[in-house]
Amino acid sequence: SPVVVPVANWLNQPVESAVRNYYIRDAKKILASCPELVRIGVTGSFGKTSVKYILHTLLQAEFDTLKTPESYNTPMGVVKTVRSSLRATHQVFVCEMGARHVGDIKELCEIAYPKMGIITSVGPQHLETFGSLDNIINEKLALYRATKDKDGAFLNMDSPIIGGGQYDGNVTLYGSSEICSYRGGDIKVGAFGSEFTVTTPEGETVTFKT
C-alpha cells in the first residue's frame, strides 16, 4: 500500500532524531575537548570546496590540519568527520559548510563553532529550496556573523552581492579591487595551473603558482 512507507517514516522519525542528536552532542563534546584547535569555516554558493582543498594544502605544511573530506558539508557530514578523524594533535580544522535550506549554516556553526570564516561567493544556487535570493544572502552571511567578533571573517569582494554589503567587526576583504586588504592581480590561467600576484596591506607583492 502507498500509505505504508510514509507512515513507517513518520513512526521512525523520533528514533532517527534521537540518534542524530546523540551524534551531534558527541561531536560537540569532542570539539570542546580541543580548546586550542583553530576552526575555519568555508562557505559560498560556489568555490568553497576548492578553497577548502587549497587552504588545507597550504596549512598542512606548517600545522597538523584536518579538513572535511570530499563534499562532506552537511551537519552529519561534519559530525562524522569530527567523530571519526579528529585527533587531539590536530591544530587546525577546515570545515566546509554547505546549505540548501534556511538555518543550515547556523546549525553548522553551532556544531563546529568556527573561529574564522571564509565566504567565497553568494549567488542563486538552490533558489528552489531557499525561496528567495534574500534568504540565500542572509544564510551565507550567517558565517560572517558567527566569526566577525572572534578571529575574523574573510569576504570575497569580487562576488557582486558580497561586495555590495556593509560590514563591521574583525573582517578581512580579499579580491581584485582597491578596497581589498589582500588584492590579487596579474592572473594567468593555463593548462598546467594558475599564476597570480597577491598584494598585502603593507604593500608587499608576492607571486604564487598552483
Side-chain angles (χ1 to χ4, degrees), residues 33-171:
S33 70
C34 304
E36 300 302 318
L37 181 69
V38 176
R39 307 173 197 184
I40 306 171
V42 182
T43 194
S45 296
F46 53 87
K48 56 184 174 291
T49 303
S50 297
V51 168
K52 174 188 69 178
Y53 276 107
I54 293 168
L55 186 60
H56 176 259
T57 300
L58 291 169
L59 290 173
Q60 70 177 354
E62 295 284 341
F63 307 100
D64 192 349
T65 306
L66 173 68
K67 70 177 184 307
T68 48
E70 301 171 357
S71 291
Y72 278 41
N73 58 23
T74 64
M76 295 315 293
V78 172
V79 165
K80 182 178 180 180
T81 302
V82 170
R83 296 182 73 245
S84 64
S85 303
L86 184 64
R87 304 188 308 270
T89 55
H90 278 124
Q91 297 167 286
V92 180
F93 177 36
V94 182
C95 180
E96 181 179 346
M97 297 181 167
R100 292 183 64 90
H101 302 89
V102 172
D104 284 352
I105 299 297
K106 182 175 182 291
E107 182 179 10
L108 285 162
C109 287
E110 289 173 350
I111 294 170
Y113 199 70
K115 299 175 182 177
M116 285 185 274
I118 301 172
I119 304 180
T120 63
S121 59
V122 176
Q125 280 78 356
H126 305 309
L127 189 59
E128 71 283 358
T129 54
F130 277 105
S132 72
L133 185 58
D134 285 342
N135 285 340
I136 296 174
I137 295 169
N138 187 60
E139 186 65 26
K140 296 302 181 184
L141 290 179
L143 181 58
Y144 151 74
R145 293 190 295 272
T147 56
K148 70 184 183 74
D149 296 322
K150 299 175 188 171
D151 290 344
F154 296 76
L155 306 180
N156 176 17
M157 301 307 282
D158 286 351
S159 175
I161 292 174
I162 298 176
Q166 299 292 320
Y167 309 100
D168 60 8
N170 186 9
V171 174

